[in-house]
Coordinates of all heavy atoms in Angstrom, one line a residue:
A99 N 55.0 -4.3 23.2 CA 55.5 -3.4 24.3 C 56.0 -4.2 25.5 O 56.9 -3.9 26.1 CB 54.4 -2.5 24.7
I100 N 55.3 -5.3 25.8 CA 55.7 -6.1 26.9 C 57.2 -6.8 26.7 O 58.1 -6.8 27.5 CB 54.7 -7.3 27.2 CG1 53.5 -6.7 27.8 CG2 55.3 -8.4 28.0 CD1 52.3 -7.6 27.9
L101 N 57.3 -7.2 25.4 CA 58.5 -7.9 24.9 C 59.7 -6.8 25.1 O 60.9 -7.1 25.5 CB 58.5 -8.4 23.6 CG 57.6 -9.8 23.5 CD1 57.5 -10.1 22.0 CD2 58.2 -10.8 24.2
S102 N 59.4 -5.6 24.6 CA 60.3 -4.5 24.7 C 60.7 -4.1 26.1 O 61.9 -4.0 26.4 CB 59.6 -3.2 23.9 OG 60.6 -2.2 24.1
A103 N 59.7 -4.2 26.9 CA 59.9 -3.9 28.4 C 60.8 -5.0 29.0 O 61.7 -4.7 29.8 CB 58.6 -3.8 29.1
I104 N 60.5 -6.2 28.6 CA 61.4 -7.3 29.2 C 62.8 -7.2 28.7 O 63.7 -7.3 29.5 CB 60.8 -8.7 28.7 CG1 59.4 -8.9 29.4 CG2 61.7 -9.9 28.9 CD1 58.7 -10.1 28.9
D105 N 62.9 -6.8 27.5 CA 64.4 -6.7 26.9 C 65.0 -5.5 27.6 O 66.2 -5.6 28.0 CB 64.3 -6.3 25.4 CG 63.9 -7.6 24.6 OD1 64.0 -8.7 25.1 OD2 63.5 -7.4 23.4
N106 N 64.2 -4.3 27.9 CA 64.8 -3.2 28.6 C 65.2 -3.6 30.0 O 66.3 -3.2 30.5 CB 63.9 -2.1 28.6 CG 63.7 -1.4 27.3 OD1 64.8 -1.4 26.5 ND2 62.6 -0.8 27.0
I107 N 64.3 -4.4 30.7 CA 64.7 -4.7 32.1 C 66.0 -5.6 32.0 O 66.9 -5.5 32.9 CB 63.5 -5.5 32.7 CG1 62.3 -4.6 32.9 CG2 63.9 -6.2 34.0 CD1 61.0 -5.3 33.3
K108 N 66.0 -6.6 31.1 CA 67.1 -7.5 31.0 C 68.4 -6.6 30.7 O 69.5 -6.8 31.4 CB 67.0 -8.5 29.9 CG 68.1 -9.6 29.9 CD 67.7 -10.6 28.8 CE 68.8 -11.7 28.9 NZ 70.1 -11.2 28.4
E109 N 68.3 -5.7 29.8 CA 69.5 -4.8 29.5 C 69.8 -4.0 30.7 O 71.0 -3.8 30.9 CB 69.1 -3.9 28.3 CG 70.2 -3.1 27.7 CD 69.9 -2.2 26.6 OE1 68.7 -2.4 26.2 OE2 70.6 -1.3 26.3
K110 N 69.0 -3.4 31.4 CA 69.2 -2.6 32.6 C 69.9 -3.4 33.6 O 70.9 -3.0 34.3 CB 67.9 -2.0 33.1 CG 67.2 -0.9 32.3 CD 68.2 0.3 32.1 CE 67.4 1.3 31.3 NZ 68.3 2.6 31.1
K111 N 69.4 -4.7 33.8 CA 70.0 -5.5 34.8 C 71.4 -5.9 34.5 O 72.3 -5.9 35.3 CB 69.2 -6.8 35.0 CG 67.9 -6.5 35.8 CD 67.1 -7.9 35.9 CE 65.9 -7.7 36.8 NZ 65.1 -8.9 37.1
D112 N 71.6 -6.2 33.1 CA 73.0 -6.5 32.7 C 73.9 -5.3 33.0 O 75.1 -5.5 33.4 CB 73.0 -6.9 31.2 CG 72.3 -8.2 31.0 OD1 72.1 -9.0 32.0 OD2 71.9 -8.5 29.8
N113 N 73.4 -4.1 32.6 CA 74.2 -2.9 32.7 C 74.5 -2.7 34.2 O 75.6 -2.3 34.6 CB 73.5 -1.7 32.2 CG 73.4 -1.7 30.6 OD1 74.2 -2.4 30.1 ND2 72.5 -1.0 30.0
T114 N 73.5 -3.0 35.1 CA 73.8 -2.8 36.5 C 74.8 -3.8 37.0 O 75.6 -3.4 37.8 CB 72.4 -3.1 37.3 OG1 71.4 -2.1 36.8 CG2 72.6 -2.8 38.7
G115 N 74.8 -5.0 36.5 CA 75.8 -5.9 37.0 C 77.2 -5.5 36.5 O 78.1 -5.6 37.3
E116 N 77.3 -4.9 35.3 CA 78.6 -4.6 34.8 C 79.0 -3.3 35.6 O 80.2 -3.2 36.0 CB 78.5 -4.1 33.4 CG 78.3 -5.3 32.4 CD 79.4 -6.3 32.5 OE1 80.6 -5.8 32.6 OE2 79.2 -7.4 32.3
V117 N 78.2 -2.4 36.0 CA 78.5 -1.3 36.7 C 79.0 -1.7 38.2 O 79.9 -1.2 38.7 CB 77.4 -0.3 36.9 CG1 77.6 0.8 37.9 CG2 77.0 0.4 35.6
L118 N 78.2 -2.6 38.8 CA 78.7 -3.2 40.1 C 80.0 -3.8 40.1 O 80.8 -3.7 41.0 CB 77.5 -4.1 40.6 CG 76.2 -3.6 40.9 CD1 75.3 -4.6 41.3 CD2 76.4 -2.5 42.1
L155 N 69.9 3.4 38.4 CA 69.7 2.1 37.6 C 68.6 1.3 38.3 O 67.8 0.8 37.5 CB 71.0 1.3 37.5 CG 72.1 1.9 36.5 CD1 73.4 1.1 36.7 CD2 71.5 1.8 35.1
N156 N 68.7 1.2 39.6 CA 67.6 0.4 40.2 C 66.2 1.0 40.0 O 65.3 0.3 39.9 CB 68.0 0.4 41.7 CG 69.1 -0.5 42.0 OD1 69.4 -1.5 41.2 ND2 69.8 -0.4 43.1
D157 N 66.1 2.4 40.1 CA 64.9 3.0 39.9 C 64.4 2.8 38.5 O 63.2 2.6 38.2 CB 65.0 4.6 40.1 CG 65.2 4.9 41.6 OD1 64.9 4.1 42.4 OD2 65.6 6.1 41.8
S158 N 65.3 2.8 37.5 CA 64.9 2.6 36.1 C 64.4 1.1 35.9 O 63.4 1.0 35.3 CB 66.1 2.8 35.2 OG 65.8 2.4 33.9
I159 N 65.0 0.3 36.6 CA 64.5 -1.2 36.5 C 63.2 -1.3 37.3 O 62.3 -2.0 36.7 CB 65.5 -2.1 37.2 CG1 66.9 -2.2 36.4 CG2 65.0 -3.4 37.4 CD1 67.9 -2.9 37.0
D160 N 63.0 -0.6 38.3 CA 61.7 -0.5 39.0 C 60.6 0.0 38.1 O 59.5 -0.5 38.0 CB 61.8 0.2 40.3 CG 62.7 -0.5 41.4 OD1 62.8 -1.8 41.2 OD2 63.0 0.2 42.3
Q161 N 61.0 1.1 37.4 CA 59.9 1.7 36.5 C 59.5 0.8 35.4 O 58.4 0.6 35.0 CB 60.5 3.0 35.9 CG 60.7 4.2 36.9 CD 59.4 4.6 37.4 OE1 58.3 4.6 36.7 NE2 59.3 5.0 38.7
L162 N 60.6 0.1 34.8 CA 60.3 -0.9 33.8 C 59.5 -2.0 34.3 O 58.6 -2.5 33.6 CB 61.6 -1.4 33.2 CG 62.4 -0.5 32.4 CD1 63.8 -1.0 32.0 CD2 61.6 -0.2 31.0
G163 N 59.7 -2.4 35.5 CA 58.8 -3.5 36.1 C 57.4 -3.0 36.2 O 56.5 -3.8 36.1
I164 N 57.3 -1.9 36.7 CA 55.8 -1.3 36.8 C 55.2 -1.2 35.4 O 54.1 -1.5 35.4 CB 55.8 0.1 37.5 CG1 56.3 0.1 38.9 CG2 54.5 0.8 37.3 CD1 56.6 1.4 39.5
L165 N 56.0 -0.7 34.5 CA 55.4 -0.7 33.1 C 55.0 -2.1 32.6 O 54.0 -2.3 32.0 CB 56.5 -0.1 32.1 CG 56.2 -0.1 30.7 CD1 54.8 0.7 30.3 CD2 57.3 0.4 29.8
Y166 N 55.9 -3.1 32.9 CA 55.6 -4.5 32.4 C 54.3 -4.9 33.1 O 53.4 -5.6 32.4 CB 56.8 -5.3 32.8 CG 56.6 -6.9 32.7 CD1 56.6 -7.4 31.4 CD2 56.2 -7.6 33.8 CE1 56.3 -8.7 31.3 CE2 55.9 -9.0 33.6 CZ 56.0 -9.5 32.4 OH 55.8 -10.9 32.2

Side-chain angles (χ1 to χ4, degrees):
I100 288 172
L101 291 175
S102 176
I104 291 171
D105 288 342
N106 283 335
I107 290 171
K108 185 175 181 299
E109 184 180 351
K110 294 291 183 183
K111 285 182 175 179
D112 289 344
N113 289 340
T114 301
E116 291 299 322
V117 169
L118 290 174
L155 283 174
N156 288 336
D157 287 343
S158 178
I159 291 170
D160 289 342
Q161 290 293 327
L162 287 171
I164 292 170
L165 174 62
Y166 170 79

